[in-house]
Amino acid sequence: MKKNITIQYGGKNAKVDQLLVNRLLPHSSFNSVGPFVFLDHIYPTVLAPEIPLPPNGSFAHPHRGIATFSYLLSGALEHFDSQGNHGIIQSGGAQWMKAGNGILHDEQRSAAFQQQGGLFHGMQFWINLPAKNKAEAPEYKALQPADIPETALPDDAGTLRVVIGVCGVEQSSVKTYTKQFIYHIKLNPKSNFTMPTKADFEYAAFIPANEVKINDTLSGKSELLIFDRSDENIELYNPGITPADIILFGGEPYLEPMVSKGPFVMNTPAEIAQAYDDFFEGKYGRIEYPVN
């Protein structure tokens, strides 16, 4: 038996700097999938070489109450934050930042990538934290491609990367505070794979580019599918002649109250107001950029 697809959504486009972004979460009919409350897809864009500009804070912004998670399919991304963390991830890498009780961060294409140009393609999730973890100090972790465990699918169907969570004997090193997962499945041409599911988890599939059939429904080109809460299977089939990417994500439902405003996700309106007050009072610190 197959899980029913309850929503098939193509997102809403927005321009961010030179990049076109597709906003897929939240949706008018649902606020989250497990703890995931936000998903932006940066469309694959070929950028011309340019003279790198030193970071100056023009991309800096605050967060509180969530963990941000950027997953890069192509390109290179650089991170700075007000806790003094710095990292650069490459194609196939990711970076996780627990905003906790408040942080400023700045994500931009790395200087080396700006200089050489090339294909830039990725996505960012916001992961809602339980109330007790919203009050904790921020943390940051960069993962290079080799840091993400990968396993072969049966019958030479492709590969599965455990980006967040656990799958079989493979486990991601990304910290989690609820049961949650992100799996990146790369399905070979004319191949199929069946993913068993749990009835107490919420599931979504995101297909960034090449079309695939998911439970007999054709989807692709930056579409999001939301499934029902049954424990039936998710069946994947790639009808094309090139490998296809599928991002499966979700987890146990987030049961605490949730209030979202701008870059903050908290449990009450009063906490949102406090998040803004603390930001305007400078309590999130400041980013110290390197001096060239």
Side-chain angles (χ1 to χ4, degrees):
M1 297 290 289
K2 305 170 187 175
K3 289 174 80 69
N4 290 321
I5 296 169
T6 59
I7 293 174
Q8 185 171 8
Y9 180 51
K12 182 180 291 188
N13 288 349
K15 196 72 184 291
V16 178
D17 188 33
Q18 302 177 55
L19 301 170
L20 190 61
V21 171
N22 193 20
R23 303 221 143 129
L24 295 139
L25 275 178
H27 179 274
S28 59
S29 299
F30 55 90
N31 290 322
S32 61
V33 179
F36 296 94
V37 295
F38 179 92
L39 171 58
D40 263 7
H41 174 216
I42 302 165
Y43 287 126
T45 305
V46 177
L47 298 170
E50 57 187 354
I51 298 173
L53 296 175
N56 59 12
S58 58
F59 292 100
H61 57 279
H63 285 297
R64 185 165 175 168
I66 58 172
T68 63
F69 189 78
S70 299
Y71 184 51
L72 204 56
L73 297 176
S74 183
L77 191 63
E78 188 164 14
H79 168 98
F80 300 91
D81 67 42
S82 55
Q83 295 287 310
N85 297 305
H86 173 252
I88 298 176
I89 59 167
Q90 307 294 334
S91 300
Q95 54 189 8
W96 170 88
M97 183 189 75
K98 183 177 77 173
N101 59 14
I103 194 171
L104 298 178
H105 82 140
D106 184 341
E107 281 185 308
Q108 55 189 294
R109 297 180 299 280
S110 72
F113 181 81
Q114 291 179 56
Q115 191 168 30
Q116 69 186 21
L119 179 66
F120 194 86
H121 185 200
M123 62 200 75
Q124 185 179 85
F125 296 87
W126 292 3
I127 307 169
N128 202 0
L129 296 172
K132 63 181 181 180
N133 304 111
K134 292 178 186 290
E136 294 175 348
E139 296 182 52
Y140 170 76
K141 183 181 183 68
L143 297 97
Q144 298 305 332
D147 298 329
I148 299 175
E150 181 174 299
T151 187
L153 298 179
D155 303 318
D156 195 30
T159 57
L160 184 152
R161 306 186 85 205
V162 184
V163 182
I164 288 181
V166 179
C167 186
V169 299
E170 303 292 351
Q171 181 170 353
S172 168
S173 62
V174 174
K175 278 189 179 181
T176 57
Y177 300 93
T178 61
K179 294 178 181 178
Q180 60 194 250
F181 65 91
I182 299 177
Y183 303 145
H184 176 188
I185 295 170
K186 186 173 285 290
L187 206 56
N188 286 333
K190 310 297 183 183
S191 296
N192 59 74
F193 173 66
T194 298
M195 172 66 73
T197 69
K198 300 178 181 179
D200 56 342
F201 274 23
E202 296 175 345
Y203 285 81
F206 170 62
I207 306 90
N210 293 3
E211 290 185 322
V212 295
K213 278 192 174 181
I214 300 182
N215 290 356
D216 299 323
T217 296
L218 190 65
S219 180
K221 301 178 182 178
S222 196
E223 281 191 321
L224 181 70
L225 303 181
I226 307 294
F227 299 91
D228 68 13
R229 293 285 299 278
S230 71
D231 61 353
E232 308 296 349
N233 295 330
I234 297 176
E235 296 185 2
L236 310 173
Y237 174 66
N238 177 10
I241 58 172
T242 57
D245 296 301
I246 304 114
I247 308 295
L248 289 180
F249 68 95
E252 61 183 354
Y254 187 89
L255 300 178
E256 296 177 348
M258 183 176 70
V259 182
S260 177
K261 183 72 173 177
F264 307 126
V265 182
M266 304 301 291
N267 298 110
T268 67
E271 290 173 342
I272 291 287
Q274 188 64 56
Y276 274 101
D277 287 346
D278 290 348
F279 168 61
F280 289 123
E281 291 174 11
K283 293 183 178 179
Y284 297 169
R286 62 194 299 268
I287 300 174
E288 299 288 346
Y289 294 101
V291 177
N292 294 328

